[in-house]
């Protein structure tokens, strides 16, 4: 796929009803989407008291600023809590801040971030219309993979952000975000094309923009994935 000049839309093979039941009936349950993994309850889950009580995304960002729940704050230059429309209908979730993000405190602003902006534009979404966030809010040293303890410590922020934003759909970019959010080791290829649920919110999985920079052949499947997210948005009731 070339995200700048999208080619003719391929058919999406999404007409088979799922065998897995989701815990409650929502608009997407009645649609022809293949259902995937369900993580967390639809209502607020057990997240640590102080984080659960945060009333706005600004309050979450403020708490992330002073966060010492894992050691990453010691090596990072800046926290990267996330940014975008607080009422976004779509939330993009990446892995963790890289060097540029660490310098600036803003998510996805490097080369991968520029590609992310183009991917969103391919489905008529401006970067400012969505909310962009990472699983980890501080950069792991030398961009190493996040550790399980870091993910566990940081996840309540993401859960609270999603509770506050209440998006209609989440897109997990890359294997790490997808496997972490869905609590699975299933390869990304098998998680694509399904509508999973993360704390009640439909979740779509696709390639990480950084992977697309190395593997342009994955741009077309990525476009198919974001179109699936777009279809979910378009079919969600207006709120
Ligand atoms: N990669 C990510 O997963 N997140 C960023 O913010 C930047 C690069």
């Amino acid at each position: 796929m070339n995200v700048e000049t999208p080619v003719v839309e391929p058919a999406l093979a999404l007409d088979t009803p799922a065998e897995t039941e989701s815990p409650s009936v929502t608009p997407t349950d009645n649609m022809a989407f293949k259902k995937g993994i369900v993580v967390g309850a639809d209502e607020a889950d057990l997240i640590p008291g102080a984080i659960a009580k945060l009333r706005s995304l600004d309050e979450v960002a403020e708490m992330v600023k002073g966060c010492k729940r894992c050691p990453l704050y010691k090596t990072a230059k800046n926290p990267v809590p996330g940014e975008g429309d607080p009422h976004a209908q779509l939330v993009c979730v990446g892995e963790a801040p890289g060097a540029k993000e660490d310098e600036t405190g803003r998510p996805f602003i490097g080369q991968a971030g520029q590609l992310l902006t183009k991917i969103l534009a391919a489905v008529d979404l401006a970067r400012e219309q969505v909310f962009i966030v990472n699983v980890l809010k501080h950069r792991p040293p030398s961009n190493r993979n996040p550790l399980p303890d870091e993910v566990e410590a940081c996840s309540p922020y993401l859960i609270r952000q999603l509770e506050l934003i209440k998006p209609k759909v989440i897109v997990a970019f890359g294997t790490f975000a997808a496997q972490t959010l869905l609590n699975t080791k299933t390869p990304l290829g098998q998680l694509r094309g399904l509508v999973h649920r993360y704390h009640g919110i439909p979740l779509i999985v696709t390639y990480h923009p950084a992977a697309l920079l190395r593997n342009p052949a994955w741009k077309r499947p990525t476009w198919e994935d974001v179109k699936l997210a777009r279809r979910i948005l378009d079919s969600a009731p207006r709120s």
Side-chain angles (χ1 to χ4, degrees), residues 40-56:
D42 286 11
E43 298 307 324
D45 259 339
L46 293 175
I47 54 176
I51 298 177
K53 288 190 191 110
L54 298 171
R55 284 163 307 170
S56 69

Side-chain angles (χ1 to χ4, degrees), residues 190-207:
Q190 289 171 36
L191 297 172
R192 291 186 48 244
L194 304 173
V195 181
H196 310 280
R197 283 196 175 261
Y198 185 70
H199 295 267
I201 304 163
L203 182 148
I204 302 302
V205 168
T206 195
Y207 295 101

